[in-house]
Amino acid sequence: MLKIMKINNVESFMEKVRDCQGEVNLHLPDGSVCDLKSDNTAAQILTMLHSIDHELDISLTDPRDCVPIMRFMMCAAA
């Protein structure tokens, strides 16, 4: 699981999510999980949680997606 503290550009992050091979799951504070790729509501929740500076917990179902997502996060932090 990845713990994300800040996403500088949510739209760019969502573009990277759409390019992922597997599911990109957002773990919500109530314990539920939703897929950012297939659930439009999940993308809206991501934006809402991000806007209130809430830590985001994300998991990837396909290991091939880890490097592109991590690279995006490292480049965005620079």
Side-chain angles (χ1 to χ4, degrees):
M1 184 167 330
L2 303 170
K3 186 171 289 292
I4 299 174
M5 307 303 264
K6 179 90 173 141
I7 300 173
N8 290 331
N9 187 328
V10 175
E11 277 302 314
S12 294
F13 177 73
M14 289 304 297
E15 286 177 24
K16 194 56 72 175
V17 164
R18 287 187 285 275
D19 291 341
C20 286
Q21 302 295 312
E23 295 175 359
V24 180
N25 293 314
L26 175 63
H27 298 260
L28 300 174
D30 68 356
S32 61
V33 178
C34 49
D35 181 13
L36 287 172
K37 283 182 66 175
S38 64
D39 187 349
N40 289 333
T41 303
Q44 292 172 346
I45 292 170
L46 171 79
T47 302
M48 181 193 70
L49 290 174
H50 178 263
S51 69
I52 60 171
D53 289 330
H54 189 279
E55 293 176 350
L56 304 172
D57 291 325
I58 294 175
S59 62
L60 307 170
T61 61
D62 191 318
R64 295 175 291 179
D65 296 327
C66 190
V67 170
I69 292 292
M70 293 298 291
R71 184 176 295 134
F72 173 82
M73 296 309 295
M74 290 186 322
C75 290

